[in-house]
Amino acid sequence: MSRILTGDRPTGALHLGHYFGTLANRVRLQRGGHEVFVVIADYQVISDRDRPGDLDQTVSGLVLDYLGCGLDPDETVIFPHSAVPALNQLLLPFLSLVSMGELLRNPTVKEEISLAGRSTVSGLMFTYPVHQAADVLFCQADLVPVGRDQLPHLELTRSIARRFNDRYGQVFPLPDALLGEAPVLAGLDGRKMGKSLGNGIALADPQDLVAAKIRAARTDSEREVTYEPGRRPHVANLLRIAGLCARREPEDVAAQIGSGGALALKDVVTQAVCEFLAPIQERRAAFAPEDVRRVLSHGTAIANDVAERTLHEVRAAMGMTYRHIARRAAAGCVTVEA
Ligand code: TRP
């Protein structure tokens, strides 16, 4: 059995791209009996914006999305990383293991910088991938289900683990990535489907909103519907969305629509998406705010336990468990023994 860690930024509602990129994998792995940890990366939210927004609301929406997709809080550890001090402390030794050059070259970070379109770039933008390594390594995970855009961060995580082990002795396993079936699903405007870009279909979107979004999606003016990702990217993306939701090949969906044109295509996509989302939304609606609180408290307590153990191992490996400091004081407790 593996220990799995993955996570999301609480910047908005989860959408179909997340589902097929990683959520489906998480549920499958959890049902297969693996230990699954899901980090809500709240500190990452402020890497590319000044204010985190209403985190209370975004985080509880995220937890409801997880529960709706079938994650079972008795099996899966769900927690915000800001609530796990020992995890955050791993950032410091990890920063010493990476070069500025590596941080500046990260292609995902570069893309996020250009998408953010701001005149200044924060230091956190360049260092959050190192913090993300702490998200993965604090629980000594061996498998990380992610979308393709996260591969540079995982590569960095592996480098950090390898360098730490080389320098201080074996502490961390090297985690592997697990790619979902549709790592990067395009949004309805042709850009990447993004939580904060407003171009995706959220798992919690009601049917009329799904229909309106798909009606407004870009297509082209050819009557015959065909699956040609290179030449007709917008049509192909809609066919892919319908195909994933209906568990069919996009070519089959295209063949069924034939010369029905964009209107028929959009009807078929809308129906496939709504049918797919119905059971997720039904499960989602069965949970109350009190359930969310319980899930997060339970997950955070376990994550703290695990993180404190790892941090202790890390400090011991680095020679930072001083004989002359009492255990409780060294762990950061306020009461100092006489
Ligand atoms: N950076 C990821 C995203 O934007 C979220 C994330 C944070 C994550 N920590 C992680 C993903 C650890 C995998 C493992 O989606």
Side-chain angles (χ1 to χ4, degrees):
M1 288 296 143
S2 301
R3 179 169 278 186
I4 321 268
L5 180 126
T6 183
D8 303 287
R9 287 182 191 191
T11 51
L14 294 180
H15 53 58
L16 288 176
H18 295 112
Y19 187 88
F20 295 110
T22 134
L23 293 169
N25 264 336
R26 295 178 197 177
V27 175
R28 192 173 53 74
L29 290 162
Q30 177 209 278
R31 292 191 179 144
H34 298 280
E35 259 185 295
V36 181
F37 284 68
V38 179
V39 60
I40 297 176
D42 46 0
Y43 273 133
Q44 279 191 16
V45 174
I46 44 172
S47 62
D48 66 352
R49 64 199 74 194
D50 295 331
R51 287 185 181 73
D54 186 348
L55 280 176
D56 227 344
Q57 196 188 330
T58 314
V59 168
S60 70
L62 213 53
V63 173
L64 288 171
D65 285 340
Y66 296 150
L67 299 174
C69 289
L71 283 181
D72 175 352
D74 292 330
E75 307 277 339
T76 295
V77 179
I78 302 172
F79 64 97
H81 59 189
S82 68
V84 184
L87 180 160
N88 291 287
Q89 201 175 326
L90 292 174
L91 179 63
L92 288 164
F94 287 2
L95 278 170
S96 76
L97 298 168
V98 299
S99 70
M100 284 302 293
E102 267 175 312
L103 298 180
L104 297 172
R105 274 196 305 273
N106 186 307
T108 298
V109 167
K110 284 196 196 162
E111 185 177 343
E112 282 166 350
I113 290 171
S114 79
L115 277 177
R118 295 163 54 111
S119 55
T120 59
V121 183
S122 75
L124 184 60
M125 180 57 107
F126 288 108
T127 49
Y128 87 77
V130 184
H131 190 248
Q132 183 156 324
D135 289 341
V136 174
L137 296 177
F138 94 92
C139 67
Q140 295 165 325
D142 26 45
L143 209 55
V144 184
V146 282
R148 202 170 286 282
D149 61 322
Q150 298 295 306
L151 290 180
H153 300 348
L154 195 80
E155 211 32 65
L156 184 73
T157 301
R158 291 168 59 89
S159 301
I160 289 172
R162 197 180 305 112
R163 290 169 195 167
F164 187 95
N165 294 343
D166 286 349
R167 221 173 266 191
Y168 302 109
Q170 179 67 37
V171 171
F172 298 111
L174 299 194
D176 287 309
L178 184 69
L179 286 175
E181 60 179 309
V184 181
L185 204 55
L188 299 171
D189 56 2
R191 293 184 295 166
K192 178 188 156 188
M193 200 181 273
K195 268 200 255 27
S196 41
L197 295 177
N199 61 352
I201 297 169
L203 300 177
D205 279 349
Q207 291 201 359
D208 48 348
L209 184 57
V210 171
K213 283 181 174 178
I214 293 173
R215 216 176 305 123
R218 282 181 68 172
T219 50
D220 58 33
S221 55
E222 280 179 52
R223 198 107 206 115
E224 185 75 22
V225 174
T226 53
Y227 183 64
E228 295 174 72
R231 196 174 67 83
R232 309 180 69 187
H234 302 298
V235 168
N237 191 52
L238 285 173
L239 288 167
R240 232 178 2 249
I241 292 173
L244 285 166
C245 287
R247 298 237 149 260
R248 294 171 60 192
E249 293 304 321
E251 291 87 347
D252 289 350
V253 182
Q256 175 207 333
I257 301 164
S259 59
L263 229 53
L265 168 63
K266 289 179 173 181
D267 279 347
V268 168
V269 179
T270 302
Q271 195 187 342
V273 171
C274 288
E275 278 174 13
F276 173 78
L277 290 180
I280 293 176
Q281 296 184 351
E282 206 172 300
R283 266 196 303 273
R284 199 182 190 282
F287 293 97
E290 180 54 26
D291 297 314
V292 174
R293 207 180 65 82
R294 207 171 319 114
V295 167
L296 286 175
S297 305
H298 176 67
T300 300
I302 295 176
N304 269 297
D305 224 46
V306 172
E308 276 159 32
R309 238 173 293 156
T310 302
L311 179 62
H312 183 75
E313 256 188 80
V314 162
R315 292 167 73 196
M318 298 178 74
M320 291 178 177
T321 45
Y322 305 106
R323 277 181 297 133
H324 301 292
I325 304 180
R327 269 300 277 281
R328 283 170 56 75
C333 300
V334 273
T335 50
V336 179
E337 288 167 36

